[in-house]
């Protein structure tokens, strides 16, 4: 396959008249200043990975915005989430995942790291295939063509003190032996998907014991390791009260943190923790829209960048799925907090450019995916921006990204390729209608039931 871009963002900057040759889903050759050949587009960009998602939560989006009793919080939201997921069958989980993946692709993501913790039937136990739910996520990735880094989650306790799981949490719970079977089954169901990756995910310091944490990181010799860290003040307080140390402080001192790791949220950090965590080489997995929706807090962007930290963005609860909005909010929180503008910009790079390149690079690292740049050897994870749209009129170079992220709309993504699979064309995912029909039927039944 050959693509042509009037302008494209390459690793060393913007280039004009670029021919991109793609073989077996990978970029084989990139030639700037070339004569037009193949299918032509106005602007091609590297398409980032969505580094953190729980696709099933897409089905609850918009349902938790009314006040219940007293002060609503992350914890009241979580109670409703638990009630909701009691109802979900494997078929439901597959239908919801496919819908979320269609929306991810249409918003500009080429792949997703699915942090998957809904493994078991309501009330606990296992399905006859312990990796049944993982297989549904894998099937949704195959159906939609969205690249997948699948992260089966180990979740074994109800709090830092080691209390037993209860209620809705029973569907997540796995002792290490069961978890190993889930992981193995998930890996089997992904055979034949050349660009997919398997990783492991200890849910959080509150849900996994320290002993298990030490053991699970050895279950895979390579591949990504993701964990929620320091999302909520109550979580920090709980860890501090039990272990006498803050979560990030503890993680830096006790876990073998390196480039395999992605720490999700990290919204509750002291400046010292920010510095120390950034220097380990982990990716910070930021989910600004969910962090705002749940009232988590604000990540210290400039502190992290100043310490050389890598980051990417994820859609987490999938309350709304928009790559541009995640990046825009990330910058806007920094502006509101610091009463300053262009906080995440750099000399020679505009805010839009820095956000985009960081998210593409950090997302790829977090996913264990050779991606994040338009360069030979990378998977062809690409998106085309609609240069003919009135909102992009007169923009070139970094201005295109600034206009897209700060002044545009999601529909500016006209085409998207995931490992060379051309899954969004003319702004529509190629199986959007079929997936949406199944999602509608699922959602109607679920909402009637709760
Ligand atoms: Zn999460």
């Amino acid at each position: 396959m050959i693509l042509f871009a009037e302008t494209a963002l390459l690793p060393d900057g913007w280039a004009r008249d670029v021919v991109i040759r793609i073989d077996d889903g990978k970029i084989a050759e990139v030639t700037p200043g070339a004569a037009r050949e193949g299918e032509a587009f106005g602007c091609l960009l590297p398409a980032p990975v969505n580094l953190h998602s729980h696709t099933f939560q897409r089905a609850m989006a918009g349902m938790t915005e009314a006040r219940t009793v007293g002060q609503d919080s992350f914890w009241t939201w979580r109670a409703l989430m638990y009630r909701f997921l009691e109802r979900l069958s494997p078929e439901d989980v597959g239908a919801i995942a496919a819908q979320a993946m269609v929306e991810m692709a249409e918003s500009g993501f080429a792949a997703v790291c699915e942090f998957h913790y809904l493994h078991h039937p309501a009330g606990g136990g296992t399905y006859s295939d312990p990796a049944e739910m993982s297989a549904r996520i894998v099937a949704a990735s195959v159906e939609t063509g969205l690249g997948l880094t699948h992260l089966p989650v180990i979740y074994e306790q109800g709090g830092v003190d080691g209390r037993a799981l209860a209620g809705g949490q029973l569907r997540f719970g796995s002792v290490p032996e069961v978890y190993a079977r889930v992981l193995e089954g998930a890996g089997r169901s992904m055979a034949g998907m050349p660009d997919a990756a398997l990783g492991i995910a200890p849910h959080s310091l509150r849900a996994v014991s320290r002993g298990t944490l030490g053991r699970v990181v050895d279950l895979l010799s390579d591949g990504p390791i993701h964990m929620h860290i320091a999302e909520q003040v109550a979580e920090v307080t709980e860890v501090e009260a039990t272990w006498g140390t803050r979560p990030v402080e503890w993680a830096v001192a006790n876990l073998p943190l390196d480039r395999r790791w992605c720490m999700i949220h990290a919204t509750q950090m002291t400046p010292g923790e920010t510095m120390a965590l950034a220097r380990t080489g982990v990716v910070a997995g930021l989910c600004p829209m969910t962090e705002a929706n749940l009232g988590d807090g604000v990540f210290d962007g400039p502190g992290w960048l100043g310490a050389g930290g890598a980051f990417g963005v994820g859609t987490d609860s999938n309350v709304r799925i928009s790559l541009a909005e995640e990046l825009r909010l990330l910058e806007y929180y920094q502006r509101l907090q610091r009463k300053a503008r262009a906080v995440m910009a750099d000399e020679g790079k505009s805010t839009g450019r820095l956000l985009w390149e960081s998210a593409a690079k950090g997302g790829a690292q977090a996913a264990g995916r050779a991606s994040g740049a338009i360069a030979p050897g990378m998977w062809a994870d690409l998106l085309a921006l609609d240069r003919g749209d009135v909102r992009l009129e007169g923009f070139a170079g970094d201005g295109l990204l600034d206009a897209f992220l700060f002044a545009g709309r999601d529909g500016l993504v006209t085409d998207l390729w995931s490992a060379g699979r051309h899954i969004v064309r003319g702004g529509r995912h190629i199986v959007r209608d079929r997936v949406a029909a199944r999602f509608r039927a699922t959602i109607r039944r679920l909402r009637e039931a709760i």
Side-chain angles (χ1 to χ4, degrees):
M1 179 168 62
I2 295 173
L3 303 178
F4 177 86
E6 289 168 13
T7 184
L9 182 58
L10 304 185
D12 50 3
W14 293 95
R16 293 178 64 167
D17 300 329
V18 181
V19 168
I20 303 169
R21 203 173 294 274
I22 298 165
D23 286 332
D24 292 332
K26 284 198 164 164
I27 297 172
E29 205 179 347
V30 181
T31 315
R36 183 179 288 241
E37 60 175 312
E39 200 176 351
F41 297 88
C43 173
L44 289 179
L45 301 170
V49 175
N50 175 0
L51 59 60
H52 188 66
S53 157
H54 315 284
T55 47
F56 76 85
Q57 293 179 10
R58 180 69 186 134
M60 297 167 50
M63 288 176 64
T64 59
E65 307 301 334
R67 182 168 287 184
T68 49
V69 282
Q71 184 72 52
D72 274 73
S73 69
F74 172 88
W75 309 101
T76 54
W77 170 85
R78 197 179 70 156
L80 186 126
M81 188 260 283
Y82 286 176
R83 267 209 317 281
F84 188 76
L85 63 79
E86 286 285 283
R87 315 265 169 193
L88 297 180
S89 69
E91 291 75 20
D92 296 337
V93 165
I96 298 164
Q99 174 65 22
M101 289 179 185
V102 161
E103 294 185 44
M104 288 170 193
E106 289 184 352
S107 97
F109 289 114
V112 62
C113 298
E114 178 66 6
F115 194 101
H116 172 68
Y117 59 89
L118 186 55
H119 300 300
H120 307 304
T126 60
Y127 290 106
S128 54
D129 170 7
E132 163 85 47
M133 288 291 205
S134 283
R136 303 296 175 144
I137 301 292
V138 169
S141 162
V142 170
E143 181 181 17
T144 61
L146 191 78
L148 178 68
T149 291
H150 188 54
L151 302 164
V153 172
I154 180 150
Y155 197 114
E156 60 176 359
Q157 62 190 26
V160 185
D161 57 2
R163 63 184 171 268
L165 297 175
Q169 294 172 331
L170 293 169
R171 299 197 74 174
F172 318 151
S174 304
V175 295
E177 295 68 38
V178 171
Y179 177 67
R181 289 172 65 203
V182 170
L183 198 63
E184 189 207 348
R188 245 194 336 265
S189 68
M190 293 163 68
M193 297 167 73
D195 57 311
L198 181 68
I200 56 180
H203 182 274
S204 58
L205 295 182
R206 61 176 194 274
V208 182
S209 71
R210 283 179 284 183
T212 298
L213 247 181
R215 283 204 303 278
V216 287
V217 298
D218 295 329
L219 283 174
L220 290 178
S221 56
D222 61 2
I225 307 172
H226 288 219
M227 184 167 78
H228 290 128
I229 190 96
E231 177 178 10
Q232 284 281 320
V233 174
E235 178 189 1
V236 176
T237 314
E238 198 186 343
V239 171
E240 218 171 359
T242 318
W243 299 350
T245 169
R246 295 169 55 84
V248 171
E249 207 181 351
W250 184 87
V252 169
N254 293 283
L255 295 174
L257 299 180
D258 60 15
R259 291 173 53 83
R260 285 178 72 190
W261 289 73
C262 178
M263 304 302 257
I264 308 299
H265 302 305
T267 42
Q268 310 296 331
M269 295 199 288
T270 62
E273 284 175 312
T274 302
M275 196 79 86
L277 187 63
R279 287 181 179 153
T280 62
V282 304
V283 179
L286 311 178
C287 311
M289 224 183 309
T290 295
E291 287 151 12
N293 188 271
L294 297 179
D296 287 345
V298 176
F299 178 81
D300 176 6
W304 186 260
L305 286 179
F311 73 85
V313 292
T315 58
D316 193 5
S317 70
N318 296 307
V319 60
R320 194 173 119 68
I321 296 175
S322 166
L323 167 58
E325 190 165 328
E326 296 292 356
L327 293 172
R328 179 164 66 243
L329 281 182
L330 173 58
E331 166 67 15
Y332 278 174
Y333 294 149
Q334 312 298 326
R335 292 187 188 187
L336 287 165
Q337 221 179 21
R338 287 169 177 75
K339 302 181 178 61
R341 298 192 73 253
V343 179
M344 302 283 277
D346 200 359
E347 274 168 45
K349 284 185 186 177
S350 74
T351 313
R353 167 97 174 268
L354 186 126
L355 289 169
W356 194 273
E357 287 184 335
S358 302
K361 202 169 154 214
Q365 182 185 326
R369 185 175 174 89
S371 163
I374 302 179
M378 297 286 182
W379 290 111
D381 288 351
L382 304 168
L383 70 81
L385 275 189
D386 183 3
R387 270 197 99 176
D389 189 278
V390 66
R391 294 163 188 82
L392 298 184
E393 184 63 41
F395 286 103
D398 289 8
L400 281 168
L401 282 169
D402 293 334
F404 171 41
L405 298 185
F406 294 99
R409 62 182 174 89
D410 292 344
L412 292 180
V413 175
T414 61
D415 292 75
L416 183 126
W417 296 260
S418 173
R421 297 179 292 271
H422 192 176
I423 57 177
V424 175
R425 299 170 193 235
R428 291 179 65 86
H429 192 286
I430 52 174
V431 294
R432 181 205 269 187
D433 294 341
R434 181 176 81 208
V435 167
R438 212 165 64 224
F439 178 76
R440 278 179 201 280
T442 304
I443 212 83
R444 264 191 233 115
R445 197 165 31 73
L446 288 170
R447 296 232 170 114
E448 276 164 22
I450 59 167

